[in-house]
């Protein structure tokens, strides 16, 4: 996980994505492609991100003619990560008063996951 941005509920997804992606470009200059879901489709959004952040947006859409569960490319990575984070009690529901403490809890959980994974690989 490169960056976390928790916002109030009245902030739209596209506005939040614009804030998040604009801060990523400075810290991760090699980042060139961002996969997003269908909620971020549209030429205006992609053009805005390309102009302001120098990032290419690729929309991973589900086909309308498919029924039931379908594994979408790269989308499963996000869903898997949400599932991992949901295993942490402080992240299972919104207990935090501040968005900053919510972000801190997400960073702490991801740090714990990555340290466990590194320790497991080192022991092998």
């Amino acid at each position: 996980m490169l960056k976390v941005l928790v916002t109030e509920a009245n902030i739209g997804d596209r506005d939040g994505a614009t804030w998040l992606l604009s801060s990523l470009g400075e810290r991760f200059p090699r980042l060139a492609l961002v996969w997003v879901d269908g909620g971020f489709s549209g030429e205006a959004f992609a053009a805005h991100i390309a102009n302001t952040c120098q990032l290419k947006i690729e929309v991973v859409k589900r086909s309308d003619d498919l029924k039931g569960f379908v594994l979408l490319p790269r989308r499963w990575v996000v869903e898997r990560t949400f599932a991992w984070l949901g295993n942490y009690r402080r992240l299972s529901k919104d207990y935090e008063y501040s968005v900053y403490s919510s972000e801190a809890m997400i960073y702490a959980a991801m740090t714990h996951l990555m340290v466990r994974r590194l320790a497991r690989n080192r022991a092998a």
Side-chain angles (χ1 to χ4, degrees):
M1 186 173 300
L2 300 177
K3 178 94 170 131
V4 174
L5 176 66
V6 177
T7 63
E8 293 90 11
N10 64 348
I11 304 296
D13 288 344
R14 289 181 183 208
D15 293 334
T18 303
W19 292 344
L20 179 71
L21 294 174
S22 64
S23 68
L24 278 180
E26 300 164 0
R27 294 188 64 196
F28 302 98
R30 291 182 31 192
L31 184 65
L33 175 65
V34 177
W35 289 294
V36 296
D37 66 6
F40 297 93
S41 61
E43 291 298 320
F45 176 72
H48 175 71
I49 296 300
N51 292 334
T52 58
C53 308
Q54 288 74 42
L55 294 171
K56 182 181 177 213
I57 299 292
E58 184 177 312
V59 179
V60 179
K61 274 192 179 177
R62 180 188 164 122
S63 177
D64 291 335
D65 58 336
L66 298 175
K67 301 219 186 281
F69 175 77
V70 177
L71 185 64
L72 298 175
R74 307 312 295 168
R75 180 77 182 267
W76 64 271
V77 175
V78 174
E79 300 302 333
R80 177 204 59 196
T81 305
F82 285 153
W84 286 345
L85 291 174
N87 290 330
Y88 289 86
R89 192 175 74 171
R90 291 279 295 262
L91 298 175
S92 65
K93 293 182 179 52
D94 188 16
Y95 293 115
E96 306 304 323
Y97 178 74
S98 164
V99 295
Y100 302 111
S101 61
S102 292
E103 289 177 5
M105 289 298 133
I106 293 169
Y107 282 127
M110 284 306 298
T111 301
H112 181 252
L113 285 168
M114 294 298 106
V115 166
R116 278 186 27 208
R117 181 160 294 173
L118 288 170
R120 183 175 57 216
N121 288 341
R122 183 142 171 103

